[in-house]
Amino acid sequence: MNHQAVSGSGLDQKAKPLKLRSRPWTATLILIGGLIALALGIAISVSFGAADIKLSVVWTAVFHFNPDITEHQIIRELRLPRVLGGVMVGASLAVAGAVMQGMTRNPLADSGLMGINSGAGFALAVCFAFFPGLPFMYLILYSFVGAGAGAGIVYGVGSLAKGGLTPARLVLAGAALSALLSALSEGIALYFRIGQDLAFWYAGGLAGTKWLQLQIMAPWVIAALLGAIVLSRSITMLSLGEDIARGLGQRTGLVKLAGTLVVLILAGASVAVVGAVGFVGLIIPHLTRYLVGVDYRWIIPCSAVLGALLVVGGDLTARMINPPHETPVGAIIALIGVPFFLYLARKERREL
């Protein structure tokens, strides 16, 4: 009994920094302020485009839609699904990155760097080549399969190295697999002449997002986001170390399995809609942890809001750079993500 008391006390002492480093008031302010900023970003993004539309017209089109008015049709059929798609994709990629980083204790973990996005993209290339005209529902399912295969190969290859799986080895394995799958996808595109179909997914963008895609994507994303919130406390324990998590009664294997399923759903659905938009899941979780601390009960919802804000803002910036032409939103976010990744990689150089 004394031994158990001592052990429990030691675990409590290790868990105390979690409470000390959590900032619930800051997280609450981020959620409130972020949602307000996101609402403003959505309104501005819907009103801005090849034909600028007044915010009053946007309001009328949303709440008093008139199909006979051209501006209302533009807002309802083109701009609203595009912006809402950006919200879902940003939230999904950011939460996927946060869950991966918490479970693996790897600061470089991101669906774009771990082979998940490239695996989903390769699955889409196969679908376009061998199953043309496949309904979008099946494209999402194949994206999930491709994402799972990519993640499994990366973790398997990274684990084969002497000394086990380290953050640097995981990133190197992910980069190698991403390069391989991208090359195979491009080869399929050239051989089957589907380069035009895949160009959108390579660049990463929200143009062309339809209500049908959002209707199919939304249930998966909402369920996965809710699953991430349910797992948030367990992920917090895992982020402290597996021994501590087990000592606190966590079934770490089950938590990792559920967390991996959440990540595959979020990343797979996002790639099926917008393609290769990377670095959202790398940047946002780090920024969120810096602001709110290490409690994933706050990190996950704050990451969802900030990720949505980043993608919506990036898409708006992409349209403003060279109107009426569009710059891929993936390229805009990469301008921020690549320097940030290099900064993190330098911090982790001791792992090489």
Side-chain angles (χ1 to χ4, degrees), residues 238 241-243 245-246 249-257:
L238 271 178
E242 284 203 39
D243 291 338
R246 289 195 189 97
Q250 297 296 319
R251 300 173 64 181
T252 56
L254 185 60
V255 172
K256 286 185 176 182
L257 178 62

Side-chain angles (χ1 to χ4, degrees), residues 69-251:
I69 300 176
T70 303
E71 291 179 329
H72 285 204
Q73 292 180 347
I74 292 173
I75 291 169
R76 182 65 70 91
E77 299 301 326
L78 298 177
R79 296 189 181 176
L80 266 180
R82 174 178 185 147
V83 176
L84 294 179
V87 170
M88 283 198 286
V89 167
S92 298
L93 294 176
V95 171
V99 172
M100 289 178 68
Q101 291 174 18
M103 289 195 308
T104 63
R105 305 182 70 195
N106 180 358
L108 300 177
D110 169 56
S111 60
L113 298 174
M114 299 293 105
I116 295 177
N117 289 1
S118 59
F122 177 72
L124 289 174
V126 172
C127 289
F128 289 141
F130 297 101
F131 309 104
L134 201 64
F136 185 74
M137 179 65 183
Y138 291 99
L139 288 180
I140 281 192
L141 293 176
Y142 280 112
S143 292
F144 294 159
V145 174
I153 294 172
V154 167
Y155 277 88
V157 171
S159 300
L160 293 176
K162 185 178 180 181
L165 194 63
T166 65
R169 285 172 184 153
L170 199 59
V171 170
L172 290 174
L177 182 68
S178 296
L180 173 63
L181 293 179
S182 296
L184 291 175
S185 298
E186 291 175 6
I188 291 174
L190 290 173
Y191 185 81
F192 290 94
R193 298 181 181 179
I194 55 171
Q196 190 66 31
D197 295 328
L198 286 179
F200 175 78
W201 272 267
Y202 287 149
L206 294 164
T209 305
K210 304 297 183 185
W211 284 115
L212 177 61
Q213 294 174 324
L214 298 185
Q215 290 171 2
I216 296 173
M217 176 187 179
W220 294 96
V221 169
I222 292 171
L225 291 176
L226 291 175
I229 292 173
V230 170
L231 292 170
S232 59
R233 184 177 180 276
S234 299
I235 294 172
T236 303
M237 299 297 105
L238 271 178
S239 69
L240 297 174
E242 284 203 39
D243 291 338
I244 293 177
R246 289 195 189 97
L248 292 172
Q250 297 296 319
R251 300 173 64 181

Side-chain angles (χ1 to χ4, degrees), residues 294-349:
V294 298
D295 192 342
Y296 278 79
R297 288 174 294 184
W298 293 110
I299 289 174
I300 287 175
C302 288
S303 292
V305 172
L306 294 178
L309 194 57
L310 175 62
V311 172
V312 170
D315 182 55
L316 181 60
T317 303
R319 284 184 281 159
M320 293 174 63
I321 289 178
N322 186 27
H325 305 289
E326 293 190 17
T327 303
V329 66
I332 299 298
I333 296 176
L335 291 176
I336 306 171
V338 170
F340 189 79
F341 170 73
L342 294 175
Y343 165 74
L344 289 178
R346 184 179 180 185
K347 286 182 64 178
E348 295 296 316
R349 65 188 182 278

